[in-house]
Amino acid sequence: MSDARPVLSGRDIHFTYGRGADTLHVLKGASIDLFPGGLTAVMGPSGSGKSTLLHVLGLLARPSSGAVLIDGRDPWKTSEAKRSRMRNQNLGFVFQFHHLLEEFTVHENVAMPCMISGKSRSQSMDIAGGLLREVGIESRGNHFPSEISGGERQRAALARALAMEPAVVLADEPTGNLDDEATGVVENLMLDLARSRNQAFLIATHSRELAQRCGRLLILDRGVLREG
Amino acid sequence: MNLWLVGALSVRQVVSRSHSGFVRFVGVLSVVGIAIGVAALIILRSFMDGFTGAIRHSLEAVNPAVHVYAPGGGALGPSDYGLVRELALGIPGTTGVEAVLERPAVASGAVGTVAGVMVRGMSGSGDGAVLGIRLAQSLGVTMGDTVRLASTAGVSVSGMGRVLVDTIMPMVVVRVTDFGIDEYNRSLVTTSIESARSLFGDETGISSMGVGLTAETDPVNASITLDSLLRESYVEGGWPAYMTAIPFMSFHTNLFQALGLESLAMTIVLGLITVVALLNLSSALTMIALEHRWDMGVLRAMGATPRMVFVTSITRGLSIGAVGVVIGALAAWASVLVVNNYFPIRLDGSVYWVESLAGKFSAETALVASAITLLVCLLVSVAPAVSALSDSPSEALRYE
Ligand SMILES: Nc1ncnc2c1ncn2[C@@H]1O[C@H](COP(=O)(O)OP(=O)(O)O)[C@@H](O)[C@H]1O
Ligand SMILES: [Mg+2]
């Protein structure tokens, strides 16, 4: 593993919320390397900064100091338009609350990253169709998110994260909001997909079970990451 | 940028079923407000245009397009007539040239009736009098009756202080007509120039000349051409004075300016409706942006550029505006049609010159009103779009 090049790295990341006296120093020098095909779990109590870490690694928030590197390049040294392109091409997100757009069908939601990338609607829908099959909800494609179950929504969110075949998938408590049965289905699906594709998965979770099924476990503790 | 996505995002987010009742209410209110504002503007302009057009049309129907007269009101001689006629007929678009003798007189019809009138004798008209309908009514005469006209030329005051009228001329009413303009209907008598000359005891009198033009010919250009031709001829001929040609409508410049000003003032007042509607639009857009803050964060996480977020935001405002504008323009068009056909507006001719008012819906006016409203909708959409643009995706994703 160590001889491969990391697709995403965090170097000594600090992150502070707020300004002046009222600041909260959440990340205090977290470092991480994600390699192609690697499955990494991040654990830590609520409020320890897992979401913050994923936002920083996902280029949604700028680290107060330290650097995020994608393929060795620093996204914060370029324009927001180029950064948007990196998010689109290199990163996929799965959020705790699916975050599908309610006004669009499940199929359209999955196609959205492709449409954002500039692909035509029909081409994007074709790609999305394949992914819906892969996550086993092709029969729900024409439904709206409010019309399907929580487990199905999270599967759709997973399909959406994979649509652009990103090098890195960041999943923030992807099963945190599901019942046990749906949790099992989504976890299995996610691990299967991760193994069959050469993508790096970083999963923030409270589930020790899930963490143990990942190749690697990191603990976010007092603002730094350590091997668990 | 995928235009389908931008269009679908903005339109679907505007009409989203997930909106709270209040957001929907404010949204509908802004559509209705914009529609009312646009409709009010177009309807106002339609009726102002219709009114101005009716006055213009009536004036043009009764009067020649270009008038030629001597500055200072001097009379034209027979040689002037010949020259003006020759020059005018040389201008393309001229349909005819008439000599006109127009002076005030007194008319009486049925026993005991008397009215001050303006007698207009024209070289193109036949003998006998054509009366405006109101005048015929007040004199109690109809076609075939006789009116007696007395000119001031024959009036003298005797040593005893009695008014003596020498020239009383009976004239058969050959037609009673609606001149379109109330003032003409109350006081105009038209006849042949010969009859007018004998009435006024002036064998060669010409007070002005009228030049008729085809509908396509611009009276302003024609009169400028004729005026400079006249100037050359008179100056060449060694004359100190020359005839002046002016478009008839310039006698009424003040009227049309006043109408234009009134129209402008009312446009501004009615524009306030649109201003209020736009304030409403602004709050609707702010609320919609707030309800979809999360979605915009998700889109940013998927790689949507700030530009796409901005355009989506702007398109929201434009689509609300477009719906309002289309509804408003259609409503205005329908209102003008319905009023013209089922509820014709009657006016008091003595106040408004014309007695009926029909709206004149102009597609051009509707387009201009719609375009301006849409443009302002666009400007109003900029503020929420800029704040969406500067929103941090991370914060947006945490927003509940
Ligand atoms: N926008 C914010 N402003 C201030 N504090 C925040 C903000 N977002 C999160 N926090 C705080 O930062 C800490 C880390 O939050 P988070 O990254 O969501 O942790 P986790 O995902 O591990 O539960 C928490 O104490 C949280 O209250
Ligand atoms: Mg979290």
Side-chain angles (χ1 to χ4, degrees):
Chain A
M1 223 201 263
S2 53
D3 44 271
R5 230 166 87 100
V7 282
L8 178 68
S9 307
R11 296 256 181 285
D12 193 28
I13 292 168
H14 287 253
F15 192 90
T16 309
Y17 283 109
R19 285 214 176 78
D22 195 22
T23 57
L24 185 64
H25 203 162
V26 179
L27 300 178
K28 302 172 178 169
S31 292
I32 188 172
D33 282 318
L34 297 176
F35 296 93
L39 233 138
T40 310
V42 181
M43 292 192 74
S46 264
S48 58
K50 300 182 297 298
S51 297
T52 305
L53 176 70
L54 263 57
H55 283 190
V56 171
L57 293 176
L59 313 184
L60 296 172
R62 184 175 195 161
S64 313
S65 73
V68 177
L69 300 173
I70 290 192
D71 275 335
R73 281 178 299 154
D74 186 344
W76 292 101
K77 288 188 174 148
T78 178
S79 67
E80 177 56 33
K82 290 215 178 87
R83 216 156 29 243
S84 298
R85 187 129 200 97
M86 287 185 183
R87 275 185 216 119
N88 181 251
Q89 312 268 308
N90 303 28
L91 298 162
F93 278 96
V94 182
F95 304 97
Q96 178 172 2
F97 305 97
H98 64 88
H99 284 16
L100 298 173
L101 273 57
E102 291 197 45
E103 294 82 13
F104 290 80
T105 64
V106 170
H107 197 158
E108 286 167 343
N109 264 287
V110 174
M112 214 155 275
C114 299
M115 290 196 266
I116 289 173
S117 80
K119 288 189 171 72
S120 73
R121 177 176 146 80
S122 64
Q123 199 186 350
S124 307
M125 292 297 272
D126 283 350
I127 295 172
L131 284 161
L132 285 176
R133 252 191 310 284
E134 226 175 309
V135 299
I137 52 168
E138 66 268 36
S139 62
R140 319 306 306 233
N142 290 326
H143 291 258
F144 286 90
S146 58
E147 299 165 348
I148 61 175
S149 74
E152 288 168 331
R153 282 199 284 261
Q154 215 48 322
R155 281 194 266 171
L158 191 56
R160 181 179 67 181
L162 297 173
M164 288 296 291
E165 302 191 357
V168 181
V169 175
L170 302 167
D172 192 357
E173 300 190 39
T175 56
N177 218 30
L178 300 179
D179 60 38
D180 289 348
E181 196 189 327
T183 298
V185 173
V186 171
E187 281 180 2
N188 288 339
L189 179 67
M190 193 164 53
L191 297 180
D192 286 350
L193 285 168
R195 287 196 191 94
S196 63
R197 293 160 168 262
N198 199 30
Q199 287 163 312
F201 274 64
L202 180 63
I203 306 167
T205 182
H206 281 296
S207 154
R208 189 150 289 281
E209 258 175 86
L210 174 61
Q212 274 159 1
R213 294 172 70 188
C214 295
R216 186 178 170 212
L217 170 63
L218 297 173
I219 309 285
L220 183 56
D221 183 18
R222 277 159 286 179
V224 293
L225 285 166
R226 57 176 173 77
E227 301 284 336
Chain B
M1 203 161 24
N2 186 310
L3 292 181
W4 179 85
L5 182 57
V6 171
L9 270 173
S10 36
V11 171
R12 293 190 195 182
Q13 287 180 348
V14 164
V15 299
S16 175
R17 271 178 294 170
S18 68
H19 284 169
S20 65
F22 186 62
V23 172
R24 201 164 318 174
F25 174 70
V26 175
V28 169
L29 215 58
S30 21
V31 169
V32 170
I34 290 168
I36 290 177
V38 168
L41 278 181
I42 298 176
I43 292 172
L44 164 78
R45 299 303 297 223
S46 297
F47 282 96
M48 285 305 288
D49 288 355
F51 182 55
T52 313
I55 291 179
R56 185 177 287 273
H57 183 78
S58 303
L59 285 172
E60 283 170 352
V62 180
N63 299 286
V66 176
H67 267 231
V68 181
Y69 65 100
L76 283 74
S79 62
D80 295 321
Y81 175 75
L83 178 65
V84 172
R85 190 181 161 76
E86 189 193 316
L87 293 176
L89 287 176
I91 295 174
T94 302
T95 54
V97 181
E98 289 175 321
V100 178
L101 178 60
E102 181 170 321
R103 284 187 195 157
V106 176
S108 91
V111 178
T113 60
V114 63
V117 298
M118 186 59 86
V119 174
R120 179 185 294 179
M122 291 176 291
S123 55
S125 304
D127 286 337
V130 176
L131 267 62
I133 41 172
R134 297 268 181 253
L135 178 60
Q137 275 168 7
S138 67
L139 293 178
V141 295
T142 61
M143 213 173 96
D145 292 346
T146 300
V147 287
R148 289 179 302 284
L149 295 167
S151 82
T152 48
V155 174
S156 57
V157 181
S158 76
M160 311 280 289
R162 287 179 58 169
V163 176
L164 303 172
V165 181
D166 304 338
T167 328
I168 294 186
M169 194 173 145
M171 219 182 266
V172 175
V173 177
V174 293
R175 198 152 53 89
V176 172
T177 190
D178 180 359
F179 287 118
I181 302 279
D182 190 66
E183 200 181 308
Y184 292 170
N185 281 339
R186 285 179 196 283
S187 63
L188 188 62
V189 176
T190 67
T191 182
S192 67
I193 194 161
E194 290 78 18
S195 300
R197 280 171 174 166
S198 56
L199 172 63
F200 296 115
D202 181 348
E203 286 315 309
T204 57
I206 300 176
S207 55
S208 70
M209 290 180 62
V211 179
L213 299 174
T214 59
E216 302 79 51
T217 314
D218 176 20
V220 176
N221 286 336
S223 57
I224 289 172
T225 310
L226 181 55
D227 195 61
S228 62
L229 289 175
L230 285 167
R231 186 183 317 222
E232 277 169 28
S233 306
Y234 278 92
V235 171
E236 243 169 53
W239 292 91
Y242 50 87
M243 297 292 124
T244 293
I246 69 164
F248 176 77
M249 280 304 157
S250 60
F251 290 120
H252 293 285
T253 306
N254 288 342
L255 170 69
F256 289 106
Q257 267 174 0
L259 285 174
L261 202 63
E262 187 176 341
S263 183
L264 179 67
M266 288 173 73
T267 302
I268 291 171
V269 170
L270 290 189
L272 290 178
I273 298 179
T274 311
V275 171
V276 173
L278 290 167
L279 290 177
N280 219 332
L281 173 65
S282 173
S283 38
L285 287 175
T286 308
M287 285 183 215
I288 291 171
L290 216 55
E291 297 228 342
H292 292 279
R293 192 178 169 197
W294 221 35
D295 293 347
M296 291 326 248
V298 179
L299 285 164
R300 292 298 303 279
M302 288 191 275
T305 56
R307 196 164 71 112
M308 184 178 149
V309 169
F310 185 78
V311 174
T312 301
S313 253
I314 293 274
T315 313
R316 281 182 196 150
L318 278 182
S319 47
I320 293 180
V323 172
V325 160
V326 167
I327 292 176
L330 286 178
W333 174 75
S335 308
V336 172
L337 211 66
V338 166
V339 168
N340 286 352
N341 288 311
Y342 302 104
F343 306 99
I345 299 175
R346 313 298 312 172
L347 296 178
D348 179 353
S350 62
V351 178
Y352 295 104
W353 290 38
V354 290
E355 300 206 317
S356 69
L357 172 55
K360 202 169 82 184
F361 179 86
S362 119
E364 195 185 328
T365 306
L367 277 179
V368 169
S370 305
I372 292 177
T373 307
L374 271 185
L375 187 73
V376 185
C377 286
L378 183 116
L379 294 179
V380 165
S381 315
V382 167
V386 166
S387 80
L389 192 66
S390 52
D391 194 16
S392 135
S394 172
E395 297 286 322
L397 280 169
R398 286 183 189 272
Y399 178 75
E400 289 298 319

